[in-house]
Every structure is written in structure tokens, then in C-alpha cells.
Amino acid sequence: MKETNSWTLLEDDSFVRWVLHPGASTDAYWESWLSRDPRHQEMVREAMELLSQLQQHPPESDTYRLSKEIWDGVQLQIQESAPLSISKNWRGYWYTAAALALGLGATAFFWKAHPQKVASYAATVAASPEPARALLHRHNSSPKPERIYLIDGSTVILEKGATLIYQPSLNDKTREVSLEGNAFFDIAKDAGRPFMVHTGVIVTKVLGTSFEVKADPKMNDIHVAVRSGKVSVYRDGYPGTAQTVYVLPHQEVVYYKKEQNLVFQSNAPAQLLTPPSAEIVFLNFEDQPVNAILDQLGKMYHIHIVSNRDSLSGCRLTTSLQNEKLTDQLSIICKAVNAGYEMKGDTVWIKGGHCQ
Amino acid sequence: MSPIVSQDDALLWRQLMEGDATAFEVLYRKYIGALLQYGERMGLQEEVLKDQVQDLFVEIWKSRTRVTPTDNVKFYLFKALRYKMIRYHQRSNQAIPLDEEWPQTEESVESRLLVAEQEGLMANHLLKAMEKLPKRQQEIIHLRFFQGFSNQEIADLLNMQYQSATNLIHRSLQSMRQYLQSPMVSM
């Protein structure tokens, strides 16, 4: 029988599997082995140290750049023979690192609409050819405005009694929500995916940079007031017709239900142009467990984050994820723990991940 | 000996076989890093490695209707890349085939002392020790500990008997240990 030491442990298939892929089949054995003799703990510590060193890669390699170049080459060669359409949102993931450096332009507007049928947007989504995805209904029953975080980096402040219906995942072409009641929108810029707010018969579409909209709560009509940037407002189903009204900063448009008319106002009431105050979720972490950070993100966006909690259990992180969109937040976390992620529907899968 | 594979892969592979470009891209993203690190560890020049990996994925896409179903995509990709590297070495006739062991490079006491002084970190010692190994041993250590393949998977990848693979891992670890524990580099 060979003497066991940290090096011979490395030759043990079961030991290596336990370290690299903790799981029920190996955990029990090695935990009992550990408790049998205090020297075992030292051996395991050393063996784990050796293993983590063997997992280092020479730092000079630039696999990120290479993988991008190769992928471009693959696509080029494939498209010569038969066209291959790669979804836009996936391609976007390559550039998340760059987006971090550039910062995100924000678009903000306030919307106030009286109880309207929200069913139309839900019906639109259900009827779309895409596989049905769960819609989130968020209703603010508290007396204070509530901030809702969307994964594209936009935020919506729902006033008391308002309801927002939205898809918790990213869609290829548009970002669409349905609103009943009053809300303030702060929309992240994404030229490829216009942001649309459905309120019964009226649609507000975010076109340009940053702006803000407000409306009068006492009226039985729909008001859209813009603080900065530009939106277009039109009747649902009639985009781009004479019915479309463009709203610029400090302007307002009112939809009178009785007359079924969109009326342009060149001066929006000043009190409509200030966002209501709502609590902010702070994402500044100091030596926090990565599992807890992921839990907080999942809760904040109302999405599912699936990870190997065991292998991440030793990971701690000091970082600020404030003012980032979800993809960037996940990139930062994943980079820190050597993991990757995929997002499907409203579920994020964290792949791999370990700490030294 | 059950390899740790995610069920996702079997599904993604089936979708790829049905012509799903997104599944293809997901698998590419998932394994490109590991494949590049393997190629680099095997000493391939960047341009060569790029060509080989690009060919590999183009071939997979073009023959997607004919590939066999697998639930171990990582193994499949590594096996395919390894064949490509061997064929490249045979064609180019300039490098030493992967199936043969590289001769040990003799190294002076002075150079080892120098290394010990320059490299403060244990990790660097271990990487240095690994680089002293014959090519085939470097490969097996990389596949075992960096890539996390099981002994059985490694035996299958390298076309060896299971026992030969575990013996080679044993010998490789022994050599590294001896190198690290020799008085010249101990601290």
C-alpha cells in the first residue's frame, strides 16, 4: 500500500472529481476521510493548492481576442456555402466588456395613464410566433413609489396602484411593456431595440437619447410629458401614420379618450418633469459571498439564476455593480470566479466557476 | 468513471444537428476557451491554432447532419482538435509528433537557481516544473488537472489503455514533484 500524501491524492480520480466537481457521490467519502485524521486536512489543503496552481494558465495568452477572431472566420467560411443567421442579441455579448467602458446613455420619461386595458399587450405577446414566455405582472400596492429594474439597464418607477407587465428576458427586436397607472421611465439606450410602452390604445415609443415624461393624475386621459430626448406617441396598430406625435423635451401630448384624439402641448407642466423618489437597490459589495450577490440580482430582476452553489460557496467579491445592466453585472461576476453564463428566457445559467 | 457532463450539452448538440445556429454558437462559446488553452499548451503557434480551430468548427457545422449524437461535447471537440494537431504536425513535418515523447532538455544548476530567484510564486514553479516534462506528459497533466477530464476520458483521448494513462499521470506527477523538491529550487 502506497503512502498517501498530497501528491498521491492528485492521482486519485475520485479525489480530483471531488475537488473539481463537488457532488453527492464523492462528498460523503472525502468528508469522512477528512475527519478521520487531522493530517488528512493538511494533505487535502496542499493537494488543493497544487491543483489550483496546475489550473493556472500563462497570462500572456489572449483567448478572448482569439475566440472572437476565430468566430468571425467561422462565420465567414460558413456563409460562403450557406447563410447562417446568428441572433443579434448573442452577438452583443462579445461586446459587453466594451460597453462597460463606454457607459450607457439613459433615456428617462414619465408616464401617467389611467386604468386601461393591459390585455392587449399580453395578447400581442401570446400571439407572437416566439415560444410563449412568462410575463411578469408587477403591481405597486404600497403607498410609496416602487423602483423596478429591467435587465437591459432601464428602470421604471411605479407609482402607487400602478401595474407594469413585461417580459423578464430580452427580446431580439423590441423592448415592450404594458402599463396601467402612473410610472416614470428611465430607459437605457439601445438603438437596435426600441422601447415601447403600451397603455390601452396608445403606444409610446422611445426613439432617441434621454428624456422624461410626466402626466396629470386627475385627468381621465393619457398624458405623456418628455423631460429630455424624444419619444413618439401613436395609437396602437397605427405606427408611422399621421396619428403619430413626436414629443420633445418639455413638451407633452395628451390623448383624450372621449374624442379619441392626440393633442400636442408645447409646454408640459413643470411639476410633471420631476421623477418621484423611490428606493434604490444598492449594489456595492465588500467581501460578499458570490452566492448572496447572485441571489440579490435574481430578486432584483425577478429572474432565476442557476449556478453550482457548492463550487461557488467559497467565492467572495468586492465590487460595485451599480448603474450596470444585467449582462455587464454578470460578466463582472463571472470574470471574477472564472465562470461563464448563458441566458435563456428568464433564467441565467452560470457555467462553472471556482475560487482559489 | 461517469464523466461529469451537463445535460444541456446533449440537447445543444441535438439542436446543432438539426441546424440550430444558436446552439452552435452556444457550444462554441462554451468550449472555445478550453480548446485554445489546450492548443497553446501543446505549443501551437497562434496562427496555426487559429486555423485548426476554425476548420474544426466549420467542419462541424458543415457535417452537422452526419455527426453522431454525443452527451460529451467537450470530449468530442478535444478528440477532433487533437487529430487535427497530429495531422498538422505530420504534414508540416517540422514539429515532433504528439504521439512521441519529446527528449528532456538538460538544464544547468545555474539556470534552475536563476529560475528560483526570479519566480517568487509557487505557482510559477509548478508551471515551470510542468514545462520541463516531456510533451506528452505536459499534455496529460493539462488534460487531467486543467481541463478536468477523467482518467478514462484521457485514456480514450490519447488512445491508451486505462492503466497506461494512470501510469503516465503517476510518472508525470513524480517528475514534477522531484523537480520542485530538489534542493536547487526549494526555498
Side-chain angles (χ1 to χ4, degrees):
Chain A
M1 186 65 205
K2 275 188 305 187
E3 173 215 1
T4 303
N5 61 45
S6 52
W7 286 85
T8 59
L9 278 179
L10 288 182
E11 291 177 41
D12 189 318
D13 224 0
S14 154
F15 175 78
V16 175
R17 188 155 70 241
W18 176 56
V19 177
L20 296 182
H21 316 277
S25 59
T26 48
D27 284 6
Y29 173 81
W30 287 102
E31 275 157 23
S32 97
W33 189 81
L34 264 175
S35 58
R36 213 176 300 151
D37 187 333
R39 282 172 302 178
H40 288 177
Q41 296 184 12
E42 184 58 17
M43 267 180 232
V44 166
R45 200 195 55 73
E46 273 178 30
M48 283 175 148
E49 174 71 6
L50 286 170
L51 215 155
S52 84
Q53 285 165 12
L54 284 168
Q55 293 192 307
Q56 312 255 332
H57 195 71
E60 63 267 25
S61 64
D62 186 357
T63 50
Y64 180 82
R65 174 183 56 80
L66 260 184
S67 62
K68 175 80 179 73
E69 287 175 10
I70 295 171
W71 180 245
D72 288 345
V74 168
Q75 280 191 296
L76 210 67
Q77 261 187 279
I78 285 171
Q79 272 157 3
E80 280 167 10
S81 52
L84 166 69
S85 79
I86 294 295
S87 60
K88 290 274 189 307
N89 57 336
W90 268 99
R91 284 190 62 77
Y93 281 38
W94 291 112
Y95 302 107
T96 48
L100 273 176
L102 293 172
L104 295 157
T107 293
F109 67 101
F110 185 86
W111 183 284
K112 194 152 250 177
H114 276 267
Q116 295 282 343
K117 288 171 280 172
V118 254
S120 63
Y121 169 60
T124 313
V125 172
S128 73
E130 286 228 42
R133 286 174 182 164
L135 287 175
L136 269 181
H137 290 242
R138 301 284 299 275
H139 176 70
N140 181 11
S141 51
S142 77
K144 284 189 296 187
E146 185 190 354
R147 193 182 298 264
I148 290 174
Y149 292 88
L150 306 181
I151 63 169
D152 66 342
S154 304
T155 60
V156 181
I157 300 173
L158 275 188
E159 286 201 2
K160 182 186 160 192
T163 301
L164 188 76
I165 301 179
Y166 64 98
Q167 261 181 275
S169 55
L170 270 182
N171 176 300
D172 284 1
K173 294 188 184 71
T174 57
R175 298 171 287 170
E176 295 187 65
V177 302
S178 192
L179 174 73
E180 187 179 87
N182 307 330
F184 177 93
F185 291 85
D186 188 352
I187 300 308
K189 200 175 168 186
D190 184 346
R193 274 193 289 257
F195 194 95
M196 283 140 99
V197 182
H198 295 256
T199 39
V201 293
I202 296 300
V203 181
T204 301
K205 189 173 168 188
V206 176
L207 301 173
T209 52
S210 66
F211 61 92
E212 184 178 4
V213 182
K214 274 202 166 192
D216 182 357
K218 293 195 180 68
M219 305 284 291
N220 198 25
D221 305 304
I222 303 168
H223 297 243
V224 182
V226 177
R227 190 163 77 174
S228 61
K230 184 181 176 188
V231 304
S232 68
V233 179
Y234 54 88
R235 290 182 60 187
D236 209 354
Y238 304 92
T241 65
Q243 287 276 6
T244 301
V245 176
Y246 292 94
V247 193
L248 293 171
H250 300 281
Q251 297 177 346
E252 180 190 19
V253 68
V254 183
Y255 178 71
Y256 294 101
K257 266 205 278 193
K258 219 164 133 192
E259 291 81 6
Q260 299 193 359
N261 237 351
L262 278 171
V263 176
F264 179 73
Q265 314 258 325
S266 61
N267 281 304
Q271 86 270 16
L272 299 184
L273 297 174
T274 326
S277 64
E279 274 185 33
I280 293 171
V281 176
F282 286 101
L283 296 172
N284 302 312
F285 301 103
E286 202 159 326
D287 196 32
Q288 286 297 303
V290 165
N291 279 331
I293 298 175
L294 290 173
D295 287 347
Q296 189 171 344
L297 289 180
K299 220 170 127 188
M300 171 175 164
Y301 293 112
H302 287 249
I303 54 172
H304 306 286
I305 299 183
V306 183
S307 63
N308 185 342
R309 298 185 71 91
D310 287 343
S311 65
L312 293 178
S313 63
C315 301
R316 304 181 80 86
L317 201 55
T318 297
T319 185
S320 172
L321 303 175
Q322 205 74 32
N323 303 323
E324 311 284 4
K325 57 182 174 171
L326 177 65
T327 48
D328 294 338
Q329 291 164 333
L330 289 171
S331 297
I332 291 168
I333 295 171
C334 285
K335 202 170 173 203
V337 299
N338 303 308
Y341 73 88
E342 282 171 33
M343 183 149 187
K344 278 184 192 164
D346 62 349
T347 305
V348 173
W349 304 84
I350 306 286
K351 306 278 184 182
H354 58 85
C355 302
Q356 290 161 19
Chain B
M1 226 45 62
S2 68
I4 310 293
V5 289
S6 90
Q7 290 183 323
D8 261 354
D9 276 14
L11 178 66
L12 287 167
W13 192 254
R14 269 207 314 282
Q15 291 169 335
L16 162 67
M17 290 170 72
E18 287 159 11
D20 184 334
T22 307
F24 178 56
E25 189 171 353
V26 171
L27 288 170
Y28 176 86
R29 277 166 200 286
K30 193 164 174 183
Y31 293 114
I32 185 64
L35 289 167
L36 290 176
Q37 283 159 340
Y38 177 45
E40 281 169 11
R41 171 50 66 198
M42 297 323 293
L44 247 65
Q45 296 295 307
E46 183 179 303
E47 282 309 308
V48 177
L49 179 58
K50 260 174 78 171
D51 288 349
Q52 302 298 322
V53 173
Q54 186 172 317
D55 281 358
L56 169 63
F57 279 96
V58 169
E59 281 165 21
I60 287 175
W61 178 256
K62 285 186 174 168
S63 61
R64 64 189 177 277
T65 54
R66 298 187 300 276
V67 296
T68 46
T70 179
D71 59 356
N72 197 343
V73 174
K74 184 173 180 180
F75 178 86
Y76 181 100
L77 294 173
F78 270 67
K79 186 97 182 166
L81 179 60
R82 194 164 188 281
Y83 273 133
K84 285 197 160 299
M85 292 197 291
I86 290 171
R87 277 206 303 276
Y88 171 79
H89 283 308
Q90 285 165 348
R91 271 201 314 274
S92 68
N93 210 12
Q94 56 180 13
I96 293 154
L98 288 163
D99 281 339
E100 283 172 26
E101 296 211 350
W102 283 20
Q104 284 264 28
T105 41
E106 277 307 314
E107 189 196 13
S108 67
V109 168
E110 285 80 5
S111 74
R112 271 162 69 171
L113 268 176
L114 201 66
V115 167
E117 277 167 11
Q118 284 169 344
E119 316 289 1
L121 292 168
M122 178 71 177
N124 285 331
H125 283 297
L126 211 56
L127 281 181
K128 279 271 180 279
M130 185 167 160
E131 278 156 16
K132 298 300 165 220
L133 294 174
K135 210 70 191 162
R136 194 166 172 78
Q137 294 190 14
Q138 285 190 36
E139 182 179 21
I140 207 165
I141 291 289
H142 176 82
L143 292 172
R144 183 74 184 99
F145 300 107
F146 191 90
Q147 301 290 355
F149 283 115
S150 71
N151 288 354
Q152 184 62 56
E153 285 173 317
I154 288 172
D156 293 343
L157 263 177
L158 305 187
N159 299 316
M160 300 170 96
Q161 296 296 317
Y162 177 80
Q163 195 53 47
S164 317
T166 54
N167 288 347
L168 187 56
I169 291 170
H170 171 72
R171 279 214 308 283
S172 313
L173 285 171
Q174 287 291 99
S175 314
M176 288 172 70
R177 187 183 180 187
Q178 275 160 19
Y179 177 85
L180 284 174
Q181 290 177 347
S182 66
M184 294 309 143
V185 280
S186 64
M187 284 161 286

